[in-house]
Amino acid sequence: MRSYNFSVGPSSLPIEVLNEIKENLFEWKDGMGVLEVGCRDQHVLSLIEEVKHLLIDVMSIPETHEVLFLQGGGIAMNSMVPLNLMKRSADYIITGTWSNKSAIEAAKYGTVNTFVSGGSYVHICDNETVDGIEYKELPETYGVPLVADFSSSILTKSIDVSEYGVIYASAQKNLGIAGLTIAIVRKDLIGHAMDITPSVFNWKIVSENNSSYNTPPVFPIYVAGLVLKWIQRSGGVEEIEKRNKLKSDMLYEFVDSSDLYSAPVSLKQRSRINVIINLNDNSYDDFLEEAKKSEIYGLFGSKFLKPHIRVNLYNSISVTDVEYLINFMKKYEHNRQQN
Ligand code: PMP
């Protein structure tokens, strides 16, 4: 039996996607499994094109922007962004753990200001996975390109890509599995990399080589394709967004009405994706143990913050999964009151 997996990422995948992977593991094309086909094979080149166009379709990416398939995760992007875009300085708006990490890394390459000061770009983290904080309105950048880390929120809501200079995300939360990093870059921002930029991190070189300058992460790209087709079948990002809103509304509403649980993030900032919950009697270890007995996993919070639990509501988590979790939380609260 599959458990209820609320992990922070990698996270659960839709069951249809897992079944398709299983089928193609042994025989995908020409009697070869999907893990085994050579990176210069026409099937792989076609796969890269197909997945790129699926992403363009699902996110309505305009022609002004280029899609790049990269590696190294959100962490590598912390270097890649300044290497490709920074002249002397850049502005980093700090809202939590990940944007802070991005700013620290960027400071190796130039001056980092933590306010909008007219640097080469303004960097934000759309959804702070650790702190459970999400942007509801974009900051004013006065024409300076906006660069956004969407590692935990890509494809969870409709966005207007034209408002961003760069959108980047690692794939393992809402776009498949670890190993693929995507960057959606406004074309006029490609071609300005610092001389020291490693070739494999240089967006111009990657773009000219159709995301295959080095061996592309074929399997994660293939899985991303399956996830994107699943999103299309589910009614597109608009439907996914409605479902995500419903899921997080249900959970926050329950937590706000409870005596045992509370949500520390202010209403205006609350993430729909990573829900931070406090247990007012501090029974965190017991809560996690009891959750396991109900086949619920992945609820532990970050060790860098005060004790809390974190419920990660990525796209593959269904409304039924959230109902199951809320029922467990209700029972747990009831049992604590009896003791
Ligand atoms: N940014 C955000 C918002 C994240 O949630 C994460 C991963 N949890 C990262 C960056 C780092 O991504 P990776 O581990 O794939 O390098």
Side-chain angles (χ1 to χ4, degrees), residues 8-9 72-78 97-99 101-102 125-130 149-153 168-173 178-181 274 310 314:
V8 70
I75 298 266
M77 294 306 295
N78 287 344
T97 308
W98 283 109
S99 52
K101 268 198 179 180
S102 299
C125 177
D126 177 67
N127 182 69
E128 290 280 5
T129 322
V130 172
D149 177 356
F150 267 83
S151 290
S152 47
S153 52
Y168 68 84
S170 40
Q172 65 270 21
K173 301 178 200 293
L180 169 66
T181 312
N274 311 96
R310 177 171 41 166
Y314 298 125

Side-chain angles (χ1 to χ4, degrees), residues 207-265:
S207 159
E208 283 168 353
N209 287 277
N210 202 20
S211 292
S212 296
Y213 176 69
N214 63 330
T215 305
V218 179
F219 188 58
I221 293 174
Y222 157 79
V223 177
L226 298 184
V227 170
L228 288 163
K229 286 183 199 159
W230 171 79
I231 291 176
Q232 285 179 327
R233 289 198 301 277
S234 309
V237 174
E238 290 76 12
E239 279 308 308
I240 296 271
E241 178 174 8
K242 277 188 210 155
R243 206 157 74 190
N244 286 341
K245 182 167 182 328
L246 175 63
K247 280 150 48 182
S248 54
D249 283 353
M250 278 163 55
L251 186 55
Y252 280 120
E253 220 166 89
F254 164 65
V255 166
D256 286 340
S257 68
S258 140
D259 290 329
L260 177 64
Y261 309 103
S262 60
V265 179

Side-chain angles (χ1 to χ4, degrees), residues 26-44:
F26 285 88
E27 285 184 40
W28 179 53
K29 306 278 183 192
D30 300 333
M32 293 179 276
V34 66
L35 293 167
E36 305 162 307
V37 181
C39 70
R40 305 293 163 208
D41 190 293
Q42 189 52 47
H43 294 306
V44 169

Side-chain angles (χ1 to χ4, degrees), residues 111-131:
T111 304
V112 164
N113 293 310
T114 52
F115 49 89
V116 178
S117 70
S120 302
Y121 57 90
V122 176
H123 179 282
I124 61 169
C125 177
D126 177 67
N127 182 69
E128 290 280 5
T129 322
V130 172
D131 314 80

